[in-house]
């Protein structure tokens, strides 16, 4: 059943981007404050679920043509490879590396391999959560 609720659709479009940006903020702040890939991934999943509540499944799949199985596999591979970098370098498993770089727009920035691991976790959480939600809520 499709409802034509203009207020709900308009608010969802605005709130989706607010939750999305907050998800990215929580993801990036996860190294120095509470947050990280898991919490950021859950927030992103909540934003997509809000789209699923407002619109139907086919509309959301048209708006976001993402294969969540592939997203989960990429995230898992990224997290696993990042964890193995130190093992290949002859150090303890999960040892992370960092250095300071000067980036054009950001200036002097500290970059971590832990950020790559968190990116993998973020992708896995979004992928698995959306697979579960779509399998529960799907009509097929």
């Amino acid at each position: 059943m499709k409802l034509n609720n203009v207020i709900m659709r308009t608010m969802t479009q605005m709130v989706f981007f607010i939750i999305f940006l907050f998800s990215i903020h929580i993801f990036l702040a996860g190294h120095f404050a509470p947050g990280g890939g898991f919490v950021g991934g859950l927030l992103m999943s909540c934003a997509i679920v809000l789209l699923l509540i407002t619109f139907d499944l086919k509309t959301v799949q048209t708006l976001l043509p993402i294969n969540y199985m592939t997203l989960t596999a990429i995230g898992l591979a990224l997290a696993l490879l990042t964890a193995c970098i130190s093992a290949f370098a002859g150090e303890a498993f999960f040892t992370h590396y960092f250095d300071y770089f000067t980036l054009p727009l950001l200036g002097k920035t500290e970059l971590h391999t832990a950020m790559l691991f968190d990116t993998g976790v973020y992708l896995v959480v979004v992928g698995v959560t959306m697979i579960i939600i779509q399998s529960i809520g799907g009509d097929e």
Side-chain angles (χ1 to χ4, degrees), residues 120-136:
V121 170
Y122 185 93
L123 296 177
V124 167
V125 169
V126 170
V128 168
T129 305
M130 292 315 300
I131 289 170
I132 292 169
I133 295 294
Q134 287 184 350
S135 66
I136 291 172

Side-chain angles (χ1 to χ4, degrees), residues 48 64 66-73 126-128 130-131 134:
I48 298 172
L64 300 172
I66 300 170
N67 183 346
Y68 294 110
M69 282 287 208
T70 305
L71 187 72
T72 303
V126 170
V128 168
M130 292 315 300
I131 289 170
Q134 287 184 350

Side-chain angles (χ1 to χ4, degrees), residues 12-30 36 39-48 50 122:
T12 295
Q13 291 169 359
M14 291 189 314
V15 171
F16 172 79
F17 286 107
I18 292 170
I19 296 173
F20 171 72
L21 291 175
F22 189 59
S23 165
I24 298 299
H25 170 72
I26 290 293
F27 167 71
L28 293 174
V39 177
L42 285 178
L43 280 169
M44 186 62 214
S45 297
C46 289
I48 298 172
L50 179 64
Y122 185 93

